[in-house]
Each structure stands twice: as structure tokens, then as C-alpha cells.
């Protein structure tokens, strides 16, 4: 459907195509729209929370948040209160949940800004105190640890957390509006632990209801559960990776899931030259050319989020697929183009991943990591450019 375009930038005026760029992460907002719509349809009647933590997994928090809210998401989710406050400072008024706190977290600012707070137990006293000062009750989503072993109250402590929360709620300091949990192995649908976690979650919900809380939202699903476990949808799914068009499953691609990767990472070739056989490449000289060949230099390195441990990371130049050779350095890495002339190579766009090129999944494979980490770690030296491709249009 979306044919790779000759244009460097899809769907933007010609003026901008000639705009000068050296490194860019193109973010296709139409892909994000498509992905949110797709998951919203799948999850309905459950709502969608667009998870925009970590600068929207490297895609840019504010543009992604706005597009997600236009496309069927009704909530935003972030890890830190600081991230939630950035959303509010930008004028975004949609419901926001922040869930990862420390005793230094500014709960008062969160309550003032009408940000919902995830809580495992220890936070409740501080939240209640902040609410007393703010003269405004906090909205709290109590988290139960059903097996992940990170945040959330243990099953043993759940009743006591409910009792504490009920006490503060009776004092008018907070309202428990949600109960939630997080899944550990939803990306491996065959594993039995998800069933066990969901059983424990249902038990925790019953206890919260028995404690008298009038719950608006029960939520458990991340992207893999949103896509593979309808029984985990409850009232809301927390959608991160899938919104960016990437697959959380080892054996399924974005395309298999009808998702559209939203980020395309590119840089212009910074140098190209012919070298003889047995020429070493990059620190440690871990790569040597086999024969006379053309080496091309890509001005992206580990400071920009290209993992130093990558081996044979894929790169597309002028429609041909190559791989990185030698070590990735802080600012650059080399591609062996083989027996092609070096003339005209400098300045050519090299596409590391994204529409019409290799995938973030392939870079994850090359670096022994997951696609989440590849997109999220793209650094600040890479300009994000927002484009409107053709995804999400009629017939899509
Ligand atoms: C990051 C995060 C998510 C989103 O997970 P994806 O797999 O990217 O959809 C959901 N819930 C919590 C608690 C998270 O920290």
C-alpha cells in the first residue's frame, strides 16, 4: 500500500524536501494514528492509554501524545510525575497516569495538575499529605504485584494497602479510582504465568470492591496483552510499543500485526573512498576488507543510540542493502559497499531502519537487544522530523 517513495520526506511540501538535514529520525504521524486506531478497535470497549514515557519511546512525547488523543486514545501514561507535568505544561488536559515514584516525587505538583498516581502502598501517606496541603483529593490507582516482582503491593500486603487507602479516602484526601497490575511474559503467549497473573489480579479487584471502592478502571494489558489476550483488556489497555508500530512478539512482524513502524532513522553518508584488500576498519581493526572495495562512513554512533555491540547492522543506501562493518564508534560507523564506485556516494541518505528500509527488529537482532531499546535510545543529536505519510487513510 505505502510504496517506498523517491522523495526523502513523505507527504511534505517540496520546499521541505530540499531542507538541509544530516541526521534525522522521521516520525510518521499517520502511522501512529493508524496504530492507535487499530488497537482501539481491537480493545473496544476497553479504553486505550497511550504510553508516552521516555519521550514516547524516542518518538517525541508531545507530538505523539496529541496524535494519539486524536486517534482513539483517551488516556496518557508515563513513568514519572515530571513527564506528566511536561504534558500539562504543554496544555494537554487529557487524563494522565504516572506510576514510578520515589520519596522525592513532587506529589503536590501532580495533584495540582490533576495527574492520576499509581501507588504500591508506601506512597499513600505522602500523597495524602500533599492532598491535604493542596485541599484537593488525589486520584489513585492501586497497583498489585501479581508476579512481575517490580512495583505493586504483594498479595500478602494487599488488604492492608486497601485499608490504608480506605482510611485516607474516608478523610477526603484521595479517591481510589483504579486497580492495576503489569504482566511479565505477555510477549510469550504460550507461557502459563499470564493466566496466573490474571487470576491473582481478579482476586485483587474483588478485594478492592469488597473494601468499598468504586473503581472506574481496572487495567493490566501492555501491548502484547492488548494484541493477544482479550481477557486481559479489562477497562483499559496501556499501549506503548504497538503505537509506535513495532511488534512485541519474536515470531510476528509489524506487518503480521497490521502495525506500521512510525520511525525512520537516516543519515547522509559523510565520506566514501576506495581502499585495497585487507584494509582495517574502525577501532580495534576487527574488520578487514576482503578485496578492493568502497567504504562509506555513516555519521551516527553510540552517542546517537546505535548500539556499540551491533554486528552487521543493516543499512540501505540508494536502494541496496548493506551491513555495518567493524566497531560502531561514538559518532560514526562504516559500511562496506563492495565493488561500487565511490563517486557520488557522499551525501547519499543511508537508512538504518524504517519505511522502505531495514527494520528496528533487525537492528535489535544485530545488537542482541529488543526493538523497544533501539528506538527509545535514539539520541538528542538526531533531529526528529514529523511527516504525514499515507497510513490511516480510507481503505487502509
Ligand atoms: C512501559 C509500560 C507499558 C507499555 O508497555 P508496551 O509493551 O510498550 O505496550 C505499560 N504499562 C507499564 C506499567 C509500563 O511501564
Amino acid at each position: 500500500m505505502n510504496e517506498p517513495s523517491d522523495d526523502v520526506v513523505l507527504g511534505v511540501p517540496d520546499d521541505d524536501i530540499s531542507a538541509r538535514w544530516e541526521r534525522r529520525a522521521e516520525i510518521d504521524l499517520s502511522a501512529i494514528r493508524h496504530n492507535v486506531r487499530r488497537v482501539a478497535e481491537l480493545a473496544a470497549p476497553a479504553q486505550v492509554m497511550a504510553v508516552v514515557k521516555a519521550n514516547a519511546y524516542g518518538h517525541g512525547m508531545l507530538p505523539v501524545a496529541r496524535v494519539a488523543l486524536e486517534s482513539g486514545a483517551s488516556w496518557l501514561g508515563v513513568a514519572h510525575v515530571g513527564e506528566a507535568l511536561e504534558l500539562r505544561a504543554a496544555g494537554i488536559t487529557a487524563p494522565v497516569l504516572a506510576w514510578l515514584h520515589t520519596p522525592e516525587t513532587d506529589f503536590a505538583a501532580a495533584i495540582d495538575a490533576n495527574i492520576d498516581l499509581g501507588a504500591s502502598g508506601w506512597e499513600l501517606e505522602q500523597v495524602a499529605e500533599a492532598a491535604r496541603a493542596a485541599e484537593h483529593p488525589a486520584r489513585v490507582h492501586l497497583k498489585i504485584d501479581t508476579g512481575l516482582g517490580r512495583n505493586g503491593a504483594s498479595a500478602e500486603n494487599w488488604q492492608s494497602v486497601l485499608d490504608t487507602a480506605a482510611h485516607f479516602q474516608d478523610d477526603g484526601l484521595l479517591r481510589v479510582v483504579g486497580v492495576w497490575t503489569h504482566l511479565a511474559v505477555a510477549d510469550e503467549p504460550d507461557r502459563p504465568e499470564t493466566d496466573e497473573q490474571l487470576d491473582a489480579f481478579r482476586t485483587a479487584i474483588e478485594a478492592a470492591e469488597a473494601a468499598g471502592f468504586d473503581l472506574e478502571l481496572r487495567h493490566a494489558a501492555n501491548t502484547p496483552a492488548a494484541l493477544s489476550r482479550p481477557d486481559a483488556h479489562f477497562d483499559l489497555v496501556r499501549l506503548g510499543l504497538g503505537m509506535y508500530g513495532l511488534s512485541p512478539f519474536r515470531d510476528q512482524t509489524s506487518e503480521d500485526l497490521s502495525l506500521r513502524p512510525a520511525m525512520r532513522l537516516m543519515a547522509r553518508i559523510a565520506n566514501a573512498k576506495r581502499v585495497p584488500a585487507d584494509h582495517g576498519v574502525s577501532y580495534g581493526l576487527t574488520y578487514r576488507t576482503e578485496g578492493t572495495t568502497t567504504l562509506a562512513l555513516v555519521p551516527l554512533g553510540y552517542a546517537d543510540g546505535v548500539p556499540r555491540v551491533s554486528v552487521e547492522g543493516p543499512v540501505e543506501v540508494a536502494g541496496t542493502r548493506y551491513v555495518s562493518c567493524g566497531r560502531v564508534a561514538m559518532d560514526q560507523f562504516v559500511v562496506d559497499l563492495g565493488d561500487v564506485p565511490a563517486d557520488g556516494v557522499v551525501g547519499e541518505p543511508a537508512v538504518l531502519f524504517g519505511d522502505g528500509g531495514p527494520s528496528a527488529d533487525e537492528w535489535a537482532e544485530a545488537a542482541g537487544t529488543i526493538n523497544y531499546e533501539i528506538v527509545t535510545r535514539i539520541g538528542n543529536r538526531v533531529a526528529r522530523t514529523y511527516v504525514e505519510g499515507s497510513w490511516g487513510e480510507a481503505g487502509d
Side-chain angles (χ1 to χ4, degrees):
M1 299 188 310
N2 196 24
E3 294 300 322
S5 164
D6 295 337
D7 299 339
V8 169
V9 179
L10 293 170
V12 301
D14 287 349
D15 285 359
D16 290 346
I17 291 173
S18 62
R20 300 172 71 128
W21 61 270
E22 297 183 289
R23 282 159 285 280
R24 65 193 285 157
E26 236 175 61
I27 313 299
D28 182 348
L29 294 175
S30 79
I32 290 177
R33 276 194 197 90
H34 165 91
N35 298 329
V36 173
R37 282 195 194 117
R38 157 135 183 90
V39 177
E41 271 169 29
L42 215 94
Q47 300 180 65
V48 173
M49 172 184 287
V51 177
V52 294
K53 64 188 178 187
N55 199 29
Y57 294 35
H59 294 67
M61 183 169 71
L62 297 176
V64 168
R66 292 193 178 106
V67 158
L69 291 168
E70 284 165 18
S71 314
S74 49
W75 279 79
L76 298 172
V78 291
H80 303 161
V81 162
E83 296 176 300
L85 292 171
E86 266 183 67
L87 291 166
R88 288 289 184 256
I92 293 173
T93 57
V96 178
L97 174 66
W99 54 67
L100 185 58
H101 321 299
T102 74
E104 302 305 316
T105 296
D106 193 345
F107 294 115
I111 293 165
D112 275 339
N114 202 23
I115 293 159
D116 285 32
L117 295 165
S120 301
W122 68 264
E123 306 93 333
L124 292 173
E125 203 156 316
Q126 281 195 36
V127 167
E129 209 166 293
R132 197 188 300 278
E135 299 181 354
H136 182 60
R139 285 171 50 95
V140 171
H141 300 226
L142 292 179
K143 188 169 192 183
I144 173 90
D145 180 359
T146 54
L148 180 61
R150 300 195 325 197
N151 244 334
S154 65
E156 291 68 37
N157 283 339
W158 184 240
Q159 190 58 49
S160 118
V161 169
L162 293 176
D163 293 344
T164 305
H167 162 76
F168 288 130
Q169 177 159 313
D170 289 345
D171 286 351
L173 297 174
L174 58 78
R175 278 182 53 217
V176 174
V177 296
V179 168
W180 66 302
T181 193
H182 196 34
L183 300 172
V185 295
D187 56 324
E188 300 172 74
D190 294 337
R191 289 182 64 165
E193 292 96 329
T194 301
D195 290 325
E196 294 162 17
Q197 285 199 263
L198 293 176
D199 282 345
F201 186 49
R202 283 184 286 264
T203 304
I205 291 169
E206 279 166 25
E209 284 167 350
F213 296 118
D214 189 13
L215 303 177
E216 294 169 20
L217 291 171
R218 303 150 193 84
H219 48 108
N222 50 5
T223 293
L227 295 173
S228 72
R229 295 289 304 230
D231 58 335
H233 289 175
F234 295 93
D235 302 312
L236 174 145
V237 302
R238 302 187 304 271
L239 176 67
L241 192 75
M243 172 167 57
Y244 307 105
L246 300 179
S247 168
F249 304 114
R250 253 198 165 281
D251 56 351
Q252 283 179 286
T253 63
S254 299
E255 201 171 15
D256 292 337
L257 298 168
S258 303
L259 298 173
R260 318 295 184 207
M263 184 189 289
R264 177 154 66 160
L265 179 65
M266 310 186 286
R268 291 194 190 276
I269 301 288
N271 195 33
K273 62 177 173 245
R274 299 289 288 166
V275 298
D278 203 36
H279 198 297
V281 173
S282 193
Y283 295 128
L285 305 177
T286 58
Y287 180 83
R288 291 195 172 268
T289 55
E290 269 181 28
T292 301
T293 190
T294 295
L295 297 179
L297 185 63
V298 179
L300 287 168
Y302 60 77
D304 306 298
V306 180
R308 182 174 177 278
V309 296
S310 307
V311 175
E312 301 196 343
V315 175
E316 190 162 306
V317 183
T320 303
R321 181 78 69 101
Y322 305 97
V323 294
S324 67
C325 62
R327 284 197 191 137
V328 175
M330 186 180 293
D331 313 306
Q332 52 200 295
F333 67 89
V334 174
V335 175
D336 186 339
L337 300 186
D339 202 16
V340 303
D343 291 352
V345 174
V346 171
E348 276 291 305
V351 180
L352 279 71
F353 59 81
D355 194 23
S359 65
D361 310 67
E362 288 170 85
W363 272 94
E365 182 77 33
T369 182
I370 53 176
N371 51 14
Y372 287 78
E373 187 174 359
I374 295 296
V375 292
T376 302
R377 295 187 74 171
I378 299 308
N380 287 333
R381 297 199 303 192
V382 181
R384 270 66 172 177
T385 303
Y386 295 90
V387 303
E388 286 289 345
S390 55
W391 302 119
E393 290 169 0
D396 178 84

